[in-house]
Amino acid sequence: MQKPPPSQDFALKETSPNIGAGSITGDKLSCTYDLVEQMQYLYVRVVKAKDLPAKDVTGSSDPYVEVKLGNYKGVTKHFEKKSNPEWNQVFAFSKDRLQASVLEVVVKDKDVVLDDFMGRVMMDLTDIPKRVPPDSPLAPQWYRLEDRKGDKVKGELMLAVWMGTQADEAFPDAWHSDAATVGPEGVNNIRAKVYLSPKLWYVRVNVIEAQDLLPNDKSRYPEVFVKVICGNQVLRTRISQSKSINPMWNEDLMFVAAEPFEEPLYLTVEDRVGSGKDDILGRCVIPLQNVQRRLDHKPVHTRWYNLEKHIIVDGEQKREVKFASRIHLRICLDGGYHVLDESTHYSSDLRPTAKQLWKSSIGIFEVGVISAVGLMPMKTKDGRGTTDAYCVAKYGRKWVRTRTIVDSFNPKWNEQYIWEVFDPCTVITIGVFDNGHIHGHGGDKGGKDSRIGKVRIRLSTLEADRVYTHSYPLLVLQPSGVKKMGEIQLAVRFTCSSLINMLYMYSHPLLPKMHYIHPLSVLQLDSLRHQAMQIVSMRLNRAEPPLRKEVVEYMLDVDSHMWSMRRSKANFFRIMGVLSGLIAVGKWLDQICNWKNPLTTILIHILFIILVLYPELILPTIFLYLFLIGIWNFRRRPRHPPHMDIRLSHADAAHPDELDEEFDTFPTTRPSDIVRMRYDRIRSIAGRVQTVVGDLATQGERFQSLLSWRDPRATTLFVTFCLIAAIVLYVTPFQVVALLAGIYMLRHPKFRTKLPSAPLNFFRRLPARSDSML
């Protein structure tokens, strides 16, 4: 019985949402908001009130406003002892959920026991005007308050009420009826927002030398090093080789800093006087605002900085005035690099820091976050599972966050965002999260936004000006295995403004030229990327509403460099997949040489003879063959954007213990017997890798032995062969040699033997240096 195909739950599905893109409707909205479904809302802007009556015994009132529509009720904040309050709050009621024909806006007085009724304004929904941007905002009007009988009372309320869509400017900051259970203190945590990552710079500190240091112990040669602190980053130079009071280093230290530069560079010169004990010989503070910025590889000017030394007088630290030590530095902000804050395999931005070096944009990329379906319950509330989902998309420095749809497993966002594109070989990341802070709990209360899944889309895989509407599976790897958390429906479109510029980009280096003129080491880049991620997550966590640290780290793949047996297997099978083409060609050639199909072998003989007699046809034949393969594969080209592949990730076949190891913290928190077992497993794997590396080294050393005279007889044979070959090849035309070699390789199996050939036997007998290893 044939096995069923892999589960379709993990597959990408094409959808047909009711969006404006591609349709000729003539609607204004379809021009600017055409990648999402239109959603109609009733908007109520409560601006202010005046001349409100006094309700308290003190002769004042604590007014607030209730906006009621059927079972939905929105409440403004209240003001204490104010008769002319200003709220300027917007409430949005989804037209799909309207359960009444009358809008009621009530002004109340906040009281300890029971809130007092002050007056209300009633409106019939049939009289409310419709507004579609870019119409100007509706001007608010004063409405006289009425009592419950409909009689006019003291006080007026300024309101603006209109019907609109999610394209309205008031939409992002509005209180939504689908978040009716969220209190006023939690509304800020559910709003849609656009964030910008801080502008990141590489700070290069070239420590050259110091002069006239005053060590505390003058009876020994000082072992001096320099420690530089930039934010949370601490780096040290090596101990100077010139052990004197004028040490030299000429060493570069690299840091990441973000604008605005809030913290300066702290630099200390220290003397290693013993194990774990260092004496500070001087220090200086350098504000980054005053540091020179460079755009290319030309060195900046050096500068001498005076070192300060603090001494303790009567228990207080004071600066020593008579102090002449100084340090020679070359400090600059390197604007020619791109500060990597995400993996280079799926970077969303590759531009240098300095804006002067930016190229013009090649187009725009639009994303319509339409909806999600089948989300899993992420937390429990009132004894039942619930999910409060929102989306985050990151491309370049721009992050966007949709509003949170409260208590829904099938949320509909219908929000559209746009980015400028400067390089087509970039990736946008879209993640879905469960909001753990909608009831006013801040990060200090222990709440976290749980990950539901994410999607990556590489722009270069998209056709220009085509709208892609697909439902992407939201997959999360858990200790129990891969789990589908739901699906997210997206509409994406890449619009190219200049095809010539975009094609020209393919000839440019991927990273700015400073990465190639003055390359940073792999270890440096890894450390700097980690620091950049920390800075970005810290800054976005301080925004309002905050983009939480766990959200930013998940979007940036902070832990992608950690060891994973599953990921290692996946990468091994990826390599085998790449090599499978070469292996297939090798097997085909073996079949040709062994005459498995005599007709094919004869045709290859004829083709080979033609190419030998007419060598000028070799390169045109190769390129024509590649062209024909490309044209043939055009029919089978991918019609959909790529998505998370569980088979490629080796997530469907991962062992539970391997997943438990992947989710383990660093350093480990597992029991010693499990750690010992995993250590032994890694040792066995490393042993195999060690054997393969040793075999590669052996083959390389055998090549070196051909002319090294380690085996005098073998080298004599090889040198003699080289002399005879040189003479024969000199007097024999190359075409004849190539023809004879080819016919020999393609000879019939009757003329073959299963024993290895003489050259291979000779090579395997050459000595390697493995017998000299301990």
Side-chain angles (χ1 to χ4, degrees):
M1 186 175 174
Q2 191 178 7
K3 272 190 168 185
S7 173
Q8 293 301 305
D9 280 344
F10 298 124
L12 186 74
K13 300 170 187 171
E14 191 162 9
T15 58
S16 302
N18 183 25
I19 60 176
S23 62
I24 307 173
T25 60
D27 192 349
K28 287 182 183 179
L29 188 68
S30 64
C31 303
T32 55
Y33 235 62
D34 60 344
L35 293 184
V36 292
E37 298 173 347
Q38 290 190 30
M39 298 176 72
Q40 298 291 329
Y41 286 91
L42 168 65
Y43 288 99
V44 181
R45 182 186 294 279
V46 180
V47 184
K48 57 184 175 181
K50 66 179 181 181
D51 302 331
L52 294 178
K55 289 289 181 180
D56 297 345
V57 292
T58 58
S60 62
S61 59
D62 307 328
Y64 70 93
V65 175
E66 268 185 7
V67 182
K68 294 164 66 174
L69 190 63
N71 292 333
Y72 293 110
K73 179 175 70 173
V75 182
T76 68
K77 58 187 176 185
H78 79 277
F79 289 98
E80 293 190 4
K81 297 179 173 53
K82 203 165 186 181
S83 59
N84 299 306
E86 289 192 23
W87 294 282
N88 202 24
Q89 277 185 253
V90 180
F91 299 85
F93 297 87
S94 175
K95 190 177 179 182
D96 297 338
R97 300 187 184 183
L98 295 186
Q99 301 168 335
S101 58
V102 176
L103 171 71
E104 184 179 3
V105 184
V106 184
V107 183
K108 291 187 175 182
D109 173 48
K110 188 81 173 175
D111 213 337
V112 178
V113 181
L114 184 65
D115 297 346
D116 296 326
F117 176 88
M118 300 176 73
R120 67 181 180 182
V121 176
M122 305 284 282
M123 290 188 183
D124 196 323
L125 296 189
T126 56
D127 299 332
I128 292 174
K130 185 175 181 180
R131 173 188 175 250
V132 178
D135 290 354
S136 298
L138 199 68
Q141 298 179 11
W142 286 105
Y143 292 87
R144 185 78 178 269
L145 296 180
E146 300 174 350
D147 60 15
R148 288 191 172 93
K149 297 178 182 178
D151 298 330
K152 301 295 183 184
V153 296
K154 185 183 178 184
E156 292 182 78
L157 184 63
M158 181 180 275
L159 298 173
V161 184
W162 71 96
M163 295 295 296
T165 67
Q166 73 267 41
D168 202 288
E169 300 92 347
F171 180 79
D173 294 324
W175 173 93
H176 290 269
S177 57
D178 53 9
T181 58
V182 181
E185 70 282 353
V187 168
N188 198 38
N189 285 319
I190 66 171
R191 286 179 174 154
K193 280 292 175 186
V194 175
Y195 305 84
L196 279 181
S197 291
K199 189 175 183 181
L200 300 175
W201 292 80
Y202 281 149
V203 183
R204 186 186 295 270
V205 181
N206 179 221
V207 184
I208 303 171
E209 60 180 327
Q211 279 186 358
D212 304 327
L213 297 180
L214 297 175
N216 296 331
D217 185 359
K218 296 182 171 57
S219 63
R220 52 180 286 280
Y221 292 109
E223 298 181 6
V224 185
F225 64 92
V226 177
K227 182 169 76 175
V228 185
I229 302 174
C230 181
N232 296 325
Q233 308 159 72
V234 181
L235 292 178
R236 294 174 175 84
T237 66
R238 65 185 186 279
I239 293 175
S240 174
Q241 298 297 316
S242 54
K243 296 183 178 181
S244 67
I245 62 170
N246 299 313
M248 296 188 68
W249 296 277
N250 199 23
E251 192 171 336
D252 270 358
L253 303 176
M254 295 289 289
F255 301 89
V256 179
E259 290 186 5
F261 302 117
E262 297 173 346
E263 297 184 9
L265 279 176
Y266 294 97
L267 185 142
T268 58
V269 180
E270 302 186 17
D271 180 16
R272 177 68 49 84
V273 294
S275 178
K277 187 180 179 185
D278 304 320
D279 282 349
I280 296 178
L281 305 182
R283 66 184 75 189
C284 68
V285 179
I286 304 167
L288 287 174
Q289 294 91 330
N290 305 331
V291 170
Q292 186 175 344
R293 306 181 182 196
R294 71 170 185 175
L295 308 181
D296 52 24
H297 61 282
K298 295 176 183 174
V300 298
H301 297 299
T302 62
R303 183 178 164 187
W304 287 95
Y305 291 87
N306 292 326
L307 294 172
E308 298 175 357
K309 191 170 185 180
H310 293 79
I311 57 175
I312 296 176
V313 179
D314 298 331
E316 293 184 8
Q317 199 178 62
K318 294 187 177 180
R319 193 174 71 180
E320 190 174 336
V321 179
K322 295 179 180 179
F323 193 67
S325 298
R326 56 183 191 159
I327 188 167
H328 196 194
L329 303 172
R330 180 186 280 114
I331 306 177
C332 66
L333 293 168
D334 265 329
Y337 291 93
H338 168 67
V339 180
L340 294 163
D341 61 349
E342 52 198 343
S343 173
T344 50
H345 299 299
Y346 27 82
S347 286
S348 61
D349 187 15
L350 301 166
R351 292 172 294 168
T353 300
K355 202 168 183 178
Q356 301 93 310
L357 302 177
W358 290 4
K359 301 286 193 298
S360 57
S361 67
I362 60 166
I364 58 172
F365 183 66
E366 296 163 280
V367 175
V369 183
I370 300 174
S371 62
V373 294
L375 296 185
M376 302 293 288
M378 300 301 295
K379 55 181 177 281
T380 305
K381 182 185 175 188
D382 299 331
R384 63 182 182 86
T386 181
T387 298
D388 308 313
Y390 68 92
C391 286
V392 174
K394 194 261 182 193
Y395 184 78
R397 287 182 59 204
K398 180 179 173 181
W399 300 65
V400 299
R401 168 181 173 154
T402 67
R403 72 191 190 283
T404 299
I405 305 298
V406 178
D407 193 15
S408 174
F409 298 134
N410 301 295
K412 290 187 177 182
W413 293 286
N414 284 306
E415 297 182 27
Q416 184 170 334
Y417 299 96
I418 185 170
W419 286 266
E420 268 192 304
V421 177
F422 293 86
D423 193 317
C425 303
T426 45
V427 176
I428 185 171
T429 304
I430 302 163
V432 184
F433 301 88
D434 174 61
N435 196 329
H437 301 81
I438 61 170
H439 300 294
H441 297 304
D444 55 339
K445 303 269 183 87
K448 280 197 171 184
D449 290 358
S450 306
R451 58 184 70 169
I452 298 176
K454 68 181 169 187
V455 175
R456 294 194 199 100
I457 302 173
R458 184 171 289 275
L459 270 61
S460 59
T461 62
L462 305 178
E463 297 175 18
D465 301 316
R466 176 184 164 187
V467 177
Y468 292 83
T469 53
H470 290 88
S471 185
Y472 296 80
L474 295 169
L475 307 176
V476 169
L477 194 65
Q478 297 178 342
S480 57
V482 68
K483 187 174 182 181
K484 182 179 176 182
M485 308 297 287
E487 295 179 4
I488 181 172
Q489 188 177 6
L490 302 173
V492 299
R493 176 173 56 204
F494 172 44
T495 306
C496 176
S497 58
S498 171
L499 181 62
I500 300 298
N501 285 347
M502 184 172 70
L503 296 178
Y504 182 57
M505 284 297 298
Y506 281 86
S507 66
H508 280 220
L510 196 63
L511 293 168
K513 64 180 183 180
M514 279 293 287
H515 286 268
Y516 307 97
I517 298 172
H518 280 297
L520 302 172
S521 69
V522 175
L523 286 175
Q524 267 185 318
L525 282 174
D526 194 48
S527 172
L528 292 170
R529 173 175 167 256
H530 178 72
Q531 294 298 335
M533 286 178 172
Q534 296 300 318
I535 292 172
V536 170
S537 64
M538 184 178 67
R539 287 287 181 92
L540 293 179
N541 195 40
R542 286 162 47 188
E544 192 59 43
L547 202 56
R548 305 285 169 182
K549 185 172 184 284
E550 61 271 18
V551 172
V552 177
E553 289 182 348
Y554 180 59
M555 296 288 288
L556 295 179
D557 271 334
V558 165
D559 55 356
S560 62
H561 65 289
M562 298 297 289
W563 161 257
S564 163
M565 180 72 77
R566 173 194 61 83
R567 203 178 284 125
S568 301
K569 287 181 179 178
N571 288 333
F572 173 77
F573 286 112
R574 285 173 62 201
I575 292 173
M576 294 308 296
V578 171
L579 296 177
S580 62
L582 295 175
I583 294 170
V585 170
K587 288 180 178 177
W588 177 75
L589 284 174
D590 185 62
Q591 291 175 356
I592 295 296
C593 294
N594 288 297
W595 292 68
K596 296 288 185 184
N597 187 334
L599 180 61
T600 305
T601 305
I602 291 170
L603 290 175
I604 292 298
H605 272 81
I606 296 170
L607 177 64
F608 175 72
I609 292 170
I610 293 172
L611 292 178
V612 168
L613 295 177
Y614 301 98
E616 64 273 11
L617 295 178
I618 294 175
L619 286 177
T621 302
I622 292 173
F623 285 113
L624 179 63
Y625 181 63
L626 295 175
F627 169 77
L628 292 174
I629 290 175
I631 294 299
W632 179 259
N633 288 339
F634 180 76
R635 298 180 304 112
R636 294 181 293 173
R637 70 191 185 278
R639 303 299 177 101
H640 311 302
H643 66 287
M644 298 294 183
D645 190 331
I646 61 167
R647 287 207 165 171
L648 182 69
S649 309
H650 214 68
D652 56 341
H655 191 274
D657 182 67
E658 294 172 0
L659 292 175
D660 183 67
E661 181 183 24
E662 185 172 341
F663 282 91
D664 191 8
T665 56
F666 189 85
T668 182
T669 55
R670 298 297 184 262
S672 58
D673 54 336
I674 294 179
V675 175
R676 188 180 298 112
M677 180 270 291
R678 290 174 180 169
Y679 174 63
D680 290 339
R681 182 172 62 196
I682 289 181
R683 283 178 68 191
S684 66
I685 295 169
R688 293 176 209 163
V689 173
Q690 174 182 284
T691 303
V692 172
V693 171
D695 290 343
L696 291 173
T698 297
Q699 306 308 322
E701 287 169 353
R702 282 174 177 163
F703 271 109
Q704 291 178 338
S705 297
L706 286 170
L707 296 170
S708 68
W709 295 91
R710 287 194 70 213
D711 183 343
R713 284 167 292 280
T715 304
T716 301
L717 285 172
F718 182 69
V719 169
T720 306
F721 168 77
C722 288
L723 178 63
I724 296 170
I727 295 169
V728 171
L729 292 173
Y730 182 74
V731 299
T732 309
F734 177 75
Q735 288 172 312
V736 174
V737 175
L739 193 62
L740 292 174
I743 291 173
Y744 177 77
M745 291 290 294
L746 296 170
R747 68 192 184 279
H748 197 273
K750 288 182 180 180
F751 304 105
R752 293 176 182 275
T753 177
K754 291 187 177 181
L755 296 176
S757 63
L760 191 57
N761 291 333
F762 176 78
F763 180 75
R764 285 176 177 170
R765 288 176 174 276
L766 291 170
R769 304 191 66 186
S770 53
D771 50 353
S772 300
M773 288 185 65
L774 289 171

